[in-house]
Amino acid sequence: MKIKYIIRILVSISLLFFVYYNIDKIESVSSIQNISVTYTLFSILIFILLFLLNALRLNVIVSIFKNSSYYKSLDITIISNALSLFVLPGITSEISRYFLINRYIGPTKSQTIITLLYDRTCGMLATLITTFSGALFLYASVFNVSKLQIILILFFGILFFLITVFQVLKIAKLFNLFNFYYLKKFSNLFIPLLLEVEKRKFVFLYSVFLSVLLQFCTILIVYFIFLDLEKTIKFELLILIMPLMTIITSAPISFGGIGVRELVFAAGFSLAAISESVSYVISLNFTILLFFTISMLYLINFSYKFLFKINE
């Protein structure tokens, strides 16, 4: 049986197990908080935009090695995110992405690994940029600093950051001058990736820009959930803490992020004096919206393939 069919069967089975093991939590949310229709629609639309942008970033990066349709990138994004939510985050997502990119699009194994490294590198850089932006704007709101000054600092800070990134290849090559085996091995692992970054600077900048947009999509969804609960939180604080919280919740240590997300949200939102009970509801509302959106996109994608017999 082909690996793509095995992955689809695994997603379908794990989806059922996910619902079975978390149905009590879903019921508890409905009794605690009835999510308004308006904010639910806004959040789902932003979640859909998030997946579309994620697929666009993957399509842009993989096009470095192999021309591919946007639909294939979207298909890979939906399946890998479904596995990440319904099974273990991180591990299952990356393994499925590796196999799907390799089989659907057809780059070599080394090119597929570089594609995944490229994708995650852009995500990490976007996390740093977004967190830095949140820290600056939070500082401005607390100490009444001019927004124009903050924007200028942010602009030059990001410019310096990107210039530094483009010089990393030279730094990595310098490591090979030292007679340390593991240092050489580590630098040689990233040199092919850095070569692609240096050759196609616009592709890299575009991918980082898309990654920043992805961060803001997640932040907006959480902000809408806060508004739905009629709770106030500084938007700047969300920009500061949400990227880091997202990274922690993607760690492969819980089933669909359940449990870890509540703990991380409670710890993060304690900075804004948000109670644990409210953080719990926000986390579960976020999980329900994510679960509904991924399930809907997966079923639509599956039905589309079945009805129109898309050639994979």
Side-chain angles (χ1 to χ4, degrees), residues 98-160:
Y98 173 83
F99 281 109
L100 290 170
I101 290 171
N102 191 252
R103 298 297 176 90
Y104 274 31
I105 300 175
T108 63
K109 291 181 179 179
S110 60
Q111 289 173 342
T112 305
I113 292 172
I114 293 173
T115 297
L116 293 175
L117 283 173
Y118 201 127
D119 186 80
R120 290 310 175 200
T121 299
C122 290
M124 289 300 298
L125 292 177
T127 298
L128 293 174
I129 291 171
T130 308
T131 304
F132 177 63
S133 305
L136 282 178
F137 283 110
L138 187 63
Y139 176 83
S141 66
V142 172
F143 295 99
N144 295 320
V145 179
S146 169
K147 288 288 196 300
L148 179 59
Q149 292 179 5
I150 296 300
I151 291 172
L152 288 174
I153 293 172
L154 183 61
F155 173 77
F156 286 109
I158 293 175
L159 186 63
F160 173 77

Side-chain angles (χ1 to χ4, degrees), residues 10-11 14-15 18 81-89 92 254-257:
L10 180 59
V11 170
S14 58
L15 189 152
F18 180 89
N81 276 278
L83 279 170
S84 181
L85 179 65
F86 304 139
V87 194
L88 280 176
T92 50
S254 84
F255 188 58

Side-chain angles (χ1 to χ4, degrees), residues 188-199:
N188 288 333
L189 174 66
F190 284 93
I191 281 176
L193 168 64
L194 298 172
L195 281 169
E196 297 302 331
V197 170
E198 195 171 74
K199 283 191 296 185

Side-chain angles (χ1 to χ4, degrees), residues 70-272:
Y70 174 76
Y71 175 74
K72 286 185 178 179
S73 297
L74 181 60
D75 193 24
I76 291 169
T77 301
I78 292 171
I79 295 173
S80 60
N81 276 278
L83 279 170
S84 181
L85 179 65
F86 304 139
V87 194
L88 280 176
I91 293 176
T92 50
S93 176
E94 293 309 306
I95 292 175
S96 64
R97 273 156 57 90
Y98 173 83
F99 281 109
L100 290 170
I101 290 171
N102 191 252
R103 298 297 176 90
Y104 274 31
I105 300 175
T108 63
K109 291 181 179 179
S110 60
Q111 289 173 342
T112 305
I113 292 172
I114 293 173
T115 297
L116 293 175
L117 283 173
Y118 201 127
D119 186 80
R120 290 310 175 200
T121 299
C122 290
M124 289 300 298
L125 292 177
T127 298
L128 293 174
I129 291 171
T130 308
T131 304
F132 177 63
S133 305
L136 282 178
F137 283 110
L138 187 63
Y139 176 83
S141 66
V142 172
F143 295 99
N144 295 320
V145 179
S146 169
K147 288 288 196 300
L148 179 59
Q149 292 179 5
I150 296 300
I151 291 172
L152 288 174
I153 293 172
L154 183 61
F155 173 77
F156 286 109
I158 293 175
L159 186 63
F160 173 77
F161 180 73
L162 291 176
I163 291 172
T164 304
V165 169
F166 290 136
Q167 302 303 314
V168 170
L169 177 60
K170 295 177 182 177
I171 298 171
K173 287 181 177 179
L174 284 176
F175 286 154
N176 287 327
L177 299 176
F178 299 97
N179 193 25
F180 295 111
Y181 173 75
Y182 289 107
L183 193 59
K184 284 184 177 181
K185 192 173 182 179
F186 180 78
S187 64
N188 288 333
L189 174 66
F190 284 93
I191 281 176
L193 168 64
L194 298 172
L195 281 169
E196 297 302 331
V197 170
E198 195 171 74
K199 283 191 296 185
R200 299 173 177 83
K201 291 183 174 64
F202 176 77
V203 172
F204 174 74
L205 292 174
Y206 186 41
S207 301
V208 172
F209 173 72
L210 290 174
S211 301
V212 172
L213 288 182
L214 289 170
Q215 298 280 0
F216 275 95
C217 283
T218 305
I219 292 165
L220 276 175
I221 292 167
V222 175
Y223 187 67
F224 280 143
I225 295 174
F226 265 99
L227 292 178
D228 190 33
L229 291 172
E230 298 181 351
K231 300 294 181 181
T232 57
I233 187 170
K234 283 183 176 293
F235 191 72
E236 299 90 340
L237 181 60
L238 279 180
I239 297 174
L240 174 65
I241 64 176
M242 275 304 301
L244 297 176
M245 289 166 61
T246 304
I247 291 175
I248 297 172
T249 55
S250 64
I253 52 177
S254 84
F255 188 58
I258 295 291
V260 175
R261 188 174 288 110
E262 286 84 55
L263 179 63
V264 172
F265 274 38
F269 294 146
S270 65
L271 298 173

